[in-house]
Amino acid sequence: MFYLVGLGLFDIEDMSIKALNALKGVDVIYAEFFTSKLVGSTLDAIEEQIGSKINILNRTEVEEVSKFIYEAKDKDVALITGGDPLIATTHSEFIVQCRKMNIEYKIIHGSSILSSAPAISGLQGYKFGKVTTIPFPDHNFFPKSPYEAIVENLKKDMHTLVLLDIQAHKDRFMTVNQGLEYLMEVKDSIPEDERLINEDTLAVGIARVGSDDNIVKAGKISQLMEYDFGRPLHSIVIPSKLHIVEAEYLVYVAGADKGILDYD
């Protein structure tokens, strides 16, 4: 049997009873933490909670080898990750492999940033458009697609959830500030008539969803770029047109300027 298990948003307290019971009964546990990570708990704490050793896989072992699928022919094998396990398309492929190889499988879902960040932003979930991710730039790698995705959503009067790059193997997690700076660099590189997002655009910075010290801060991009959001994980929401209930939430809960209430 192959178990694909999501651990939830922040720490071991987010792990469901269903997940914990399954993991205590398997023969071997693997983990990948480059698509998502429980930043509120150490590996030792997770192992103590489960009562078993966890074998950490690198990206190559997960995406190319998938030896744990073959092991599941003869053993009960679990692969764990933060968040919900089927958010990453890589994980969906594991279920396809199980089907092809006639291996039984079980999916145990966990809470996900895709639902939690829009919810805690106070914006209506059905008004969100395409999700985008801002990557860490690299040599000859600085895609404009995150900016373009937000613009396309704005044209459709839809909010945007912006995920920020995670390179857990390097202990590197993009901050709200870095993400907004990235968008402003893209803005400076495109024609003025295409600059629908600028320093005066309303944004929401979100940090550590699921923790006791989570932050939801709304304001102009120029203001949020100077704000200290603290420890990871971070994400960004770029709102489109606001319903009055959404606007009031951003003002009274997320600290946005009351000026956003003065619109038709």
Side-chain angles (χ1 to χ4, degrees), residues 37-243:
K37 184 178 182 181
L38 289 190
V39 295
S41 293
T42 64
L43 178 63
D44 288 343
I46 300 172
E47 288 181 329
E48 183 177 353
Q49 178 83 340
I50 295 171
S52 299
K53 176 179 173 54
I54 297 172
N55 304 284
I56 304 297
L57 302 174
N58 61 40
R59 183 180 291 270
T60 299
E61 290 173 318
V62 171
E63 294 183 344
E64 296 181 8
V65 180
S66 303
K67 69 174 184 178
F68 46 86
I69 299 292
Y70 293 91
E71 274 190 81
K73 285 185 174 183
D74 305 309
K75 299 178 181 178
D76 286 334
V77 176
L79 176 67
I80 64 174
T81 186
D84 185 276
L86 286 181
I87 295 304
T89 54
T90 298
H91 301 161
S92 302
E93 177 59 27
F94 301 150
I95 303 305
V96 174
Q97 289 183 43
C98 285
R99 282 289 194 180
K100 290 179 177 180
M101 298 168 64
N102 294 316
I103 295 172
E104 292 186 67
Y105 64 86
K106 186 170 185 179
I107 301 163
I108 301 178
H109 295 280
S111 49
S112 170
I113 193 66
L114 289 188
S115 58
S116 300
I120 203 171
S121 73
L123 303 178
Q124 296 169 355
Y126 66 88
K127 292 173 61 179
F128 276 77
K130 178 182 178 180
V131 177
T132 190
T133 300
I134 298 177
F136 280 111
D138 204 343
H139 180 64
N140 291 328
F141 181 70
F142 191 83
K144 299 178 182 179
S145 52
Y147 189 100
E148 294 167 347
I150 299 169
V151 168
E152 288 304 308
N153 283 341
L154 289 174
K155 289 178 179 178
K156 298 173 184 176
D157 294 334
M158 305 191 84
H159 310 315
T160 307
L161 171 60
V162 184
L163 303 178
L164 303 176
D165 201 357
I166 295 174
Q167 296 181 354
H169 61 293
K170 298 181 180 178
D171 199 28
R172 190 182 187 201
F173 306 93
M174 183 175 286
T175 65
V176 169
N177 318 77
Q178 291 171 317
L180 294 175
E181 289 168 2
Y182 187 106
L183 293 177
M184 293 305 93
E185 286 190 46
V186 174
K187 182 261 299 181
D188 291 338
S189 70
I190 62 177
E192 287 192 22
D193 60 350
E194 298 177 17
R195 298 179 184 180
L196 295 191
I197 311 162
N198 56 50
E199 286 81 0
D200 291 328
T201 298
L202 177 67
V204 185
I206 300 169
R208 296 176 302 284
V209 179
S211 73
D212 292 334
D213 66 339
N214 69 83
I215 291 177
V216 183
K217 176 64 177 174
K220 294 180 179 180
I221 285 179
S222 60
Q223 297 170 324
L224 298 187
M225 286 170 65
E226 302 299 322
Y227 190 84
D228 182 6
F229 286 88
R231 298 177 295 119
L233 298 171
H234 294 185
S235 54
I236 299 169
V237 170
I238 305 294
S240 182
K241 290 183 179 179
L242 297 171
H243 184 278

